[in-house]
Amino acid sequence: MSRTLIKDALHATAPMDAILLQGWVRTRRDAKAFSFIELNDGSCLKGIQVIADASLPDYAHITKANTGASLEVRGKLVESKGQGQKWEVVAETFTVIGEADATYPLQKKGHTLEFLREIAHLRPRSNLFGAVFRVRSRLAYAIHQFFQAKGFCYVHTPIITASDCEGAGELFRVSTLDPLNPPKTEQGAIDYTKDFFGKQAYLTVSGQLEAEIFATALSNVYTFGPTFRAENSNTSRHASEFWMIEPEIAFCDLAGNMDLAEEFVKYLIRDAKEHCAGDLDFFSKFVDKDLLARLDFVLERPFQRCSYTEAIEILGRSGKTWEHPVAWGDNLQSEHERFLAEEHFKCPVTVYNYPRTLKPFYMRVNADGKTVTAMDLLVPGIGEIIGGSQREERLDVLIENMRAHHLSEKEYWWYTDLRRYGTVPHSGFGLGFERMLMFVTGVANIRDVIPFARTPGTAEF
Ligand code: 4AD
Ligand code: MG
């Protein structure tokens, strides 16, 4: 007999004479003549109730079926007389496969998220984290569906790279040199020509530059992979390792880019509502009461669009006292981004045309010479979830930009070649996968939407 997943058992349309379930005990309640076991196998939020009659030959082992133990049950699927469930299983045989004693940390009582982070190897067995990681899996699938249905090609950009796409210097070095005795140049500096790759190498902060190579050949492409930032920000929205989705579209301007970003975000929300309804219900009950209403609200109306210059005016007129006062030319801080999305527009808003000095070298310079075609999508509760731009396709302007950012034309010869041979207007963006998951689940800390968070000072598991 093959195993039935609890998700399928709970959705059965008729009783079953023989069923095999395997999972982990969530709770057990003993009465005189029988025991009730709530069994969960992670296939869905809900567990199934198993009834073990005291007359069963194995019944003496029931005391080993403690919270956390793994269990195999054979029996019948019958209509439940109890409340809150349609089906339950009457056990005929059961086997405790792996015992768990009273030291098992996930006993019934609620635990703090901080505590659960310390047991990241066990937290997927809790309701909350089972739900989070099912949604994560589903949305990873939906991302591919969205782009594949549109004919985008999935490109695997390298994880080890020699370039700093964002130019922020937040790079993790990849090196095999002996840290105690590195080779030195005559001037006494570390000689990276002797390093593994013959030059300085890093973990990528973004696959964009390589995605541009493929967009200028295959037209519409996307990446979806891990990215790394050695940025020392200990916030609820920053991780040192996170996943990013980066579409890159040839023959596309900033407006087309904004349209795609909006369609993409809405698609993912709709997909989660359709395929993870039970998990989203759980989040709306136990994590964020406004979640479902907010997701519907976001789906129902167009995202707002506002230039950076307008945004600065709105912030100035707001009458708010900012922790970081803001004037034209300053970076928007989280408090500003959240004010725009949460209080002013009360909906997702795309801020575009940022000052040239704030943004990386690859963004297209506008006719005013002062701003670039950047766009950031800001959402209530989080702030920025997408950053993107139209790319500079004019060779002379690009080279001027690279000089302004102190980038070596020699190192980026392949990037400038894309403008030398058959250049086209093109655009793209990066969606932070974990930030999107925070938005869809209402979970407030990025550490709780990634299986094993890497943040400054933490790389356990
Ligand atoms: O705005 P960013 O830095 O843009 C880029 O990397 C571009 N190369 C993307 C592109 O145009 N192809 O990052 C994009 C998104 C951010 O909006 C945010 O959602 C997420 O990546 N992100 C982070 N997520 C978690 N932790 C961090 N430290 C993040 N840094 C950026
Ligand atoms: Mg950004």
Side-chain angles (χ1 to χ4, degrees):
M1 197 193 329
S2 66
R3 174 190 189 188
T4 300
L5 290 177
I6 289 173
K7 172 177 75 168
D8 298 327
L10 292 173
H11 284 111
T13 49
M16 291 164 74
D17 277 347
I19 190 168
L20 165 63
L21 298 176
Q22 294 164 327
W24 292 266
V25 176
R26 280 293 174 83
T27 55
R28 192 188 82 232
R29 203 155 47 81
D30 297 330
K32 228 193 205 145
F34 41 78
S35 288
F36 291 114
I37 293 168
E38 196 204 333
L39 195 68
N40 186 292
D41 66 3
S43 59
C44 63
L45 185 77
K46 285 210 164 74
I48 197 161
Q49 174 161 285
V50 176
I51 300 168
D53 196 281
S55 64
L56 289 177
D58 299 329
Y59 195 72
H61 301 297
I62 199 84
T63 52
K64 293 183 179 152
N66 292 323
T67 299
S70 52
L71 192 66
E72 182 170 283
V73 176
R74 287 165 204 268
K76 288 187 181 3
L77 184 75
V78 301
E79 256 174 83
S80 173
K81 290 176 209 90
Q83 282 201 337
Q85 71 240 349
K86 182 152 182 249
W87 299 106
E88 62 191 18
V89 169
V90 176
E92 284 162 1
T93 65
F94 67 85
T95 315
V96 177
I97 294 176
E99 294 181 29
D101 65 17
T103 62
Y104 180 64
L106 289 173
Q107 301 294 337
K108 188 111 208 256
K109 67 176 160 81
H111 297 288
T112 65
L113 294 173
E114 288 76 12
F115 171 73
L116 290 168
R117 264 171 231 151
E118 287 169 17
I119 52 162
H121 61 307
L122 295 173
R123 69 177 183 171
R125 299 192 200 178
S126 67
N127 278 337
L128 175 67
F129 288 95
V132 164
F133 295 121
R134 275 188 299 272
V135 173
R136 186 174 171 115
S137 167
R138 175 66 215 185
L139 287 192
Y141 179 62
I143 284 160
H144 287 295
Q145 283 194 316
F146 176 82
F147 287 114
Q148 295 285 337
K150 286 183 173 298
F152 280 54
C153 209
Y154 179 31
V155 182
H156 294 116
T157 52
I159 287 173
I160 299 174
T161 174
S163 50
D164 179 5
C165 174
E166 295 306 295
E170 296 161 340
L171 300 159
F172 288 103
R173 184 184 298 286
V174 177
S175 170
T176 54
L177 293 181
D178 177 358
L180 294 179
N181 190 20
K184 296 274 176 68
T185 62
E186 276 173 18
Q187 290 77 33
I190 295 177
D191 185 0
Y192 287 106
T193 64
K194 305 248 164 56
D195 204 346
F196 192 89
F197 296 106
K199 52 157 77 170
Q200 300 197 56
Y202 311 94
L203 295 179
T204 188
V205 296
S206 159
Q208 177 198 319
L209 302 186
E210 292 89 355
E212 283 185 58
I213 295 177
F214 274 78
T216 52
L218 306 182
S219 288
N220 295 334
V221 303
Y222 69 105
T223 72
F224 180 18
T227 49
F228 307 87
R229 301 211 180 166
E231 125 191 63
N232 203 358
S233 352
N234 237 314
T235 79
S236 58
R237 307 176 307 131
H238 287 88
S240 314
E241 175 177 318
F242 61 98
W243 284 59
M244 189 152 55
I245 304 100
E246 297 183 275
E248 193 67 36
I249 318 110
F251 307 99
C252 176
D253 63 8
L254 188 68
N257 205 24
M258 291 193 224
D259 290 344
L260 182 71
E262 177 169 348
E263 189 188 340
F264 181 41
V265 166
K266 287 182 169 170
Y267 178 90
L268 294 182
I269 295 174
R270 240 180 252 117
D271 188 272
K273 284 190 59 184
E274 189 178 335
H275 295 280
C276 308
D279 293 326
L280 292 200
D281 271 345
F282 175 82
F283 299 131
S284 74
K285 280 200 193 88
F286 296 104
V287 177
D288 177 351
K289 301 247 174 314
D290 304 324
L291 178 71
L292 294 178
R294 186 166 64 245
L295 294 180
D296 283 336
F297 181 87
V298 166
L299 286 179
E300 277 158 18
R301 60 209 74 212
F303 293 0
Q304 298 292 308
R305 292 178 187 180
C306 148
S307 74
Y308 168 89
T309 303
E310 288 165 321
I312 292 293
E313 285 164 13
I314 291 167
L315 294 169
R317 284 201 306 267
S318 70
K320 294 244 162 190
T321 352
W322 303 109
E323 195 188 325
H324 308 271
V326 65
W328 202 98
D330 295 335
N331 246 324
L332 299 184
Q333 304 292 327
S334 174
E335 56 175 332
H336 310 128
E337 295 182 343
R338 293 190 53 175
F339 171 82
L340 291 169
E342 286 161 30
E343 294 181 47
H344 186 81
F345 291 104
K346 297 192 170 66
C347 108
V349 51
T350 309
V351 180
Y352 60 94
N353 288 351
Y354 281 73
R356 189 175 181 171
T357 48
L358 295 179
K359 293 291 183 182
F361 75 100
Y362 54 71
M363 293 192 179
R364 192 177 197 280
V365 181
N366 283 317
D368 61 15
K370 289 193 309 194
T371 60
V372 286
T373 50
M375 59 174 230
D376 280 0
L377 175 63
L378 316 177
V379 301
I382 299 173
E384 177 190 341
I385 62 167
I386 282 181
S389 70
Q390 185 170 339
R391 321 306 189 188
E392 185 54 76
E393 85 284 13
R394 298 161 296 186
L395 181 64
D396 52 337
V397 187
L398 179 66
I399 287 178
E400 188 196 319
N401 263 347
M402 290 174 64
R403 289 195 184 129
H405 284 87
H406 308 292
L407 291 180
S408 145
E409 265 173 72
K410 232 174 95 207
E411 293 274 327
Y412 288 86
W413 61 277
W414 46 273
Y415 191 72
T416 49
D417 260 8
L418 304 178
R419 281 71 182 166
R420 232 168 244 122
Y421 308 117
T423 192
V424 285
H426 61 290
S427 302
F429 62 81
L431 169 68
F433 189 38
E434 285 74 18
R435 296 215 184 148
M436 185 66 204
L437 286 167
M438 290 166 72
F439 191 52
V440 169
T441 60
V443 169
N445 196 308
I446 197 164
R447 290 164 181 81
D448 299 328
V449 295
I450 189 162
F452 304 103
R454 272 76 183 99
T455 50
T458 312
E460 190 67 29
F461 305 102

